[in-house]
Amino acid sequence: MSFDEEYLQNKMHWTRPDERIIEWLEGVPTDRALDLGAGEGGNSFWLAQQGWSVTSVDFSPVAVQFIEQHSREKGYSIETEVADALKYKGEGKFDLILLSFMHFSKEERGTLFSRLEKQLEEGGLLVYLGLIKTEEELPPGGLLDEFPSSEKVVEEMKSLPSLVVLNLGDQVRELPIGIAEGTYVAKTASVIVRKERGHVGTI
């Protein structure tokens, strides 16, 4: 099933933010935010409510259409774009970048983290959210290194000395199923880092 087909079949749209986003970002001074892999916009909507200037990017045109429709209904001002997260560069720099539940190989993550570090303003925050899976839990065609723990993610970021870890953790949580009503239990990784001042990247 493609992402577009999955979003079209969703019984419970993901319009609520991840609990980690609220925990870590509530009360943080607002500016420009990039929600990369925004899905149906739950994190984007919450950020817009807090006063962030949000750009929502997702590979699925169906998901982006839903963000645009829901934003109109609720009066949110959110810029949207259909794009591949591995190739998206955007314009200018961001004070917050969210990387939400997109699962790439270790090599792809390394390339992506390096680019996102350059897209972050000095003092800006980067948040990684992802699933953790064992060999037995892998989807068809999935690879184990696509679903790392928070400690492995932090280890991969060590090649970028400007990024300072503020918090990390693995949690077993209930997440919305989406294509059916209800929730399921999953192990998740969460990491938040800040770009130290004095490190200016070039895109």
Side-chain angles (χ1 to χ4, degrees), residues 3-203:
F3 285 117
D4 280 342
E5 290 171 330
E6 183 174 325
Y7 287 126
L8 284 170
Q9 293 185 36
N10 269 6
K11 299 290 191 294
M12 294 179 67
H13 292 293
W14 298 320
T15 58
R16 305 178 98 178
D18 188 278
E19 61 189 45
R20 279 301 210 185
I21 298 300
I22 298 175
E23 177 186 348
W24 286 346
L25 300 179
E26 194 165 33
V28 171
T30 61
D31 209 320
R32 293 191 74 212
L34 171 63
D35 189 0
L36 197 56
E40 291 178 308
N43 294 327
S44 292
F45 302 143
W46 183 83
L47 291 171
Q49 288 175 334
Q50 307 308 303
W52 288 90
S53 176
V54 182
T55 299
S56 300
V57 176
D58 199 272
F59 187 73
S60 167
V62 173
V64 171
Q65 267 187 343
F66 178 81
I67 293 174
E68 293 171 346
Q69 176 187 338
H70 192 76
S71 295
R72 285 194 298 269
E73 292 172 355
K74 298 294 183 179
Y76 303 143
S77 180
I78 296 177
E79 293 185 12
T80 59
E81 186 168 339
V82 177
D84 184 339
L86 292 173
K87 299 177 181 177
Y88 178 80
K89 290 187 177 180
E91 295 184 8
K93 294 191 177 185
F94 297 90
D95 303 274
L96 170 67
I97 299 178
L98 305 184
L99 188 61
S100 307
F101 295 99
M102 289 184 297
H103 300 99
F104 303 116
S105 69
K106 181 178 179 179
E107 182 180 358
E108 288 171 329
R109 276 195 308 278
T111 301
L112 183 57
F113 290 154
S114 180
R115 198 188 75 236
L116 296 183
E117 183 268 345
K118 294 178 176 65
Q119 289 180 268
L120 263 184
E121 287 281 9
E122 290 186 355
L125 301 173
L126 168 62
V127 178
Y128 170 92
L129 302 172
L131 295 173
I132 302 172
K133 291 185 180 292
T134 63
E135 200 81 56
E136 295 74 27
E137 296 169 329
L138 290 177
L143 301 173
L144 199 57
D145 76 348
E146 294 174 334
F147 303 93
S149 67
S150 57
E151 289 188 354
K152 287 182 179 178
V153 171
V154 168
E155 185 68 29
E156 293 169 9
M157 290 182 174
K158 284 185 176 179
S159 62
L160 302 167
S162 70
L163 300 182
V164 177
V165 179
L166 302 181
N167 209 328
L168 75 158
D170 298 343
Q171 287 183 316
V172 176
R173 297 196 276 146
E174 286 191 3
L175 300 176
I177 296 172
I179 58 174
E181 293 185 4
T183 59
Y184 72 104
V185 176
K187 191 171 185 181
T188 65
S190 310
V191 177
I192 181 169
V193 299
R194 181 183 64 236
K195 183 175 180 177
E196 281 192 328
R197 298 189 183 280
H199 289 78
V200 182
T202 56
I203 299 176

